[in-house]
Amino acid sequence: SSSSSSSSGDDDNAANQIRNDHRHCVELVQSRDLDGYLCGLLMPEQSRDAYFAIRAFNVEVASVKDGGGLGRRRPRSEVSMSAPM
């Protein structure tokens, strides 16, 4: 009996994690890609979760490309000049 309640607790934790992940994706898109967020509101309900996950991934990739993600990217000339000789 305790294994079934443990399994139920795991299911609840997984469901809560999925809801939290979805909320994070929606908030990220809303704060950094307003057009994408507004378009997402028009998506059919069955497609909305996947849409916001993909848009949130796109926002993250764009922030790395723009240098706002993992740290400042140095131009190639700066990298070669600072390399030890």
Side-chain angles (χ1 to χ4, degrees), residues 51-64:
Y51 173 84
F52 280 115
I54 292 168
R55 292 304 296 193
F57 179 74
N58 185 53
V59 165
E60 287 294 328
V61 169
S63 75
V64 171

Side-chain angles (χ1 to χ4, degrees), residues 1 4 9 16 19 23 26 33 35 37-39 44 48 52 60 69 76-77 82:
S1 157
S4 66
N16 285 335
R19 278 192 295 278
R23 187 177 324 116
V26 172
D33 179 12
D35 290 340
Y37 172 74
L38 294 173
C39 288
R48 206 170 291 155
F52 280 115
E60 287 294 328
R76 181 178 216 116
S77 60
S82 66

Side-chain angles (χ1 to χ4, degrees), residues 41-81:
L41 297 178
L42 300 174
M43 295 293 291
E45 188 173 346
Q46 67 270 19
S47 303
R48 206 170 291 155
D49 289 353
Y51 173 84
F52 280 115
I54 292 168
R55 292 304 296 193
F57 179 74
N58 185 53
V59 165
E60 287 294 328
V61 169
S63 75
V64 171
K65 181 181 171 194
D66 294 339
L70 301 173
R72 186 178 84 81
R73 292 178 44 193
R74 298 184 336 190
R76 181 178 216 116
S77 60
E78 224 179 276
V79 171
S80 61
M81 291 176 63

Side-chain angles (χ1 to χ4, degrees), residues 14-34:
N16 285 335
Q17 185 64 48
I18 290 170
R19 278 192 295 278
N20 289 338
D21 291 346
H22 173 70
R23 187 177 324 116
H24 173 75
C25 289
V26 172
E27 289 171 357
L28 183 65
V29 173
Q30 184 179 18
S31 67
R32 294 175 47 198
D33 179 12
L34 187 58

